[in-house]
Amino acid sequence: MDTVALAKRRYTTKAYDASRRIPQATIDALLEQLRHSPSSVNSQPWHFVVADSAEGKARIAKATEAFAYNTPKILNASHVIVFAARTDMTEAHLEAVLAQEAADGRFPTEQAKAGQDQTRRGYVNLHRFDQKDLQHWMEKQTYLAFGTALLGAAAHGLDATPIEGFDSKTLDAELGLREQGFTSVVVLSLGYRSEDDFNAGLSKSRLPASQVFTFL
């Protein structure tokens, strides 16, 4: 797979063909890739809400009232994913992650298991108490998953739109996220571009390598 070509080909889709649907096998593969996204100390402080019905997408679109230009990007897409971050790194979540790692055979000894648990808690406490940016840290991990989904979408031949223009308070209330210990961070629309998508024909623009890389 030529990941450079994928990065150059993908772009932010501005209009979707509402008549086209992503095959179930394709969306299943993308979601499995998303589930395997990296996160600091395997903390996985996220939850993903996937909408593929008109009703589900309409619920998400309620949060774009003040960002009307984003509403059709949600309603006309085939699928929409809400990326939510935890509002706290709870004891229950830490125990669940550790138990899953153990079930997946990551610990050859109890000492290795205890070491992983201690290391992860050390990072959590660093951000909770010392740097006091636990929420921001968890949202950064969620954006790692978001980047994984963007490149994955390109690999599957899908068009995608990153959406930050929405009211998180409205979306959290609509989906009951805060009651579940999460808050919405970013939204991703997925599908196939419309012929009316002006952005599809524009050249991609990035700063030159000489400005964005420093080699030591």
Side-chain angles (χ1 to χ4, degrees), residues 132-146:
K132 303 186 188 304
D133 65 345
L134 182 61
Q135 181 67 42
H136 182 55
W137 180 71
M138 292 189 293
E139 291 182 2
K140 286 195 293 186
Q141 310 318 310
T142 304
Y143 263 92
L144 288 178
F146 188 66

Side-chain angles (χ1 to χ4, degrees), residues 26-180:
T26 301
I27 200 69
D28 287 346
L30 180 61
L31 294 180
E32 186 65 1
Q33 181 178 356
L34 178 57
R35 188 173 71 87
H36 283 84
S37 298
S39 61
S40 177
V41 291
N42 198 30
S43 53
Q44 304 175 65
W46 50 49
H47 189 76
F48 312 112
V49 179
V50 183
D52 63 352
S53 67
E55 295 77 11
K57 289 180 286 187
R59 291 181 65 188
I60 295 172
K62 289 179 181 179
T64 60
E65 182 177 346
F67 306 88
Y69 50 85
N70 281 330
T71 304
K73 298 169 191 169
I74 292 174
L75 296 178
N76 294 332
S78 172
H79 289 66
V80 180
I81 304 176
V82 176
F83 288 69
R86 300 191 68 85
T87 54
D88 188 21
M89 184 62 70
T90 64
E91 180 66 24
H93 179 68
L94 289 169
E95 291 178 356
V97 171
L98 188 68
Q100 188 63 57
E101 290 171 331
D104 289 336
R106 289 191 55 81
F107 306 124
T109 64
E110 282 299 313
Q111 184 179 7
K113 180 179 178 180
Q116 172 68 6
D117 187 37
Q118 182 179 11
T119 297
R120 183 159 41 238
R121 290 173 183 275
Y123 273 90
V124 170
N125 288 335
L126 171 69
H127 289 283
R128 190 197 305 274
F129 299 116
D130 301 335
Q131 298 187 9
K132 303 186 188 304
D133 65 345
L134 182 61
Q135 181 67 42
H136 182 55
W137 180 71
M138 292 189 293
E139 291 182 2
K140 286 195 293 186
Q141 310 318 310
T142 304
Y143 263 92
L144 288 178
F146 188 66
T148 297
L150 280 175
L151 193 59
H156 287 289
L158 304 177
D159 294 308
T161 308
I163 298 176
E164 292 184 315
F166 67 93
D167 186 320
S168 62
K169 184 176 181 179
T170 298
L171 189 54
D172 287 0
E174 177 64 31
L175 301 180
L177 290 175
R178 297 186 186 182
E179 293 83 352
Q180 301 174 62

Side-chain angles (χ1 to χ4, degrees), residues 181-204:
F182 297 95
T183 183
S184 53
V185 176
V186 64
V187 174
L188 180 64
S189 290
L190 297 161
Y192 302 97
R193 64 176 177 262
S194 164
E195 293 181 358
D196 299 328
D197 182 7
F198 71 89
N199 207 27
L202 298 180
S203 300
K204 193 158 189 172

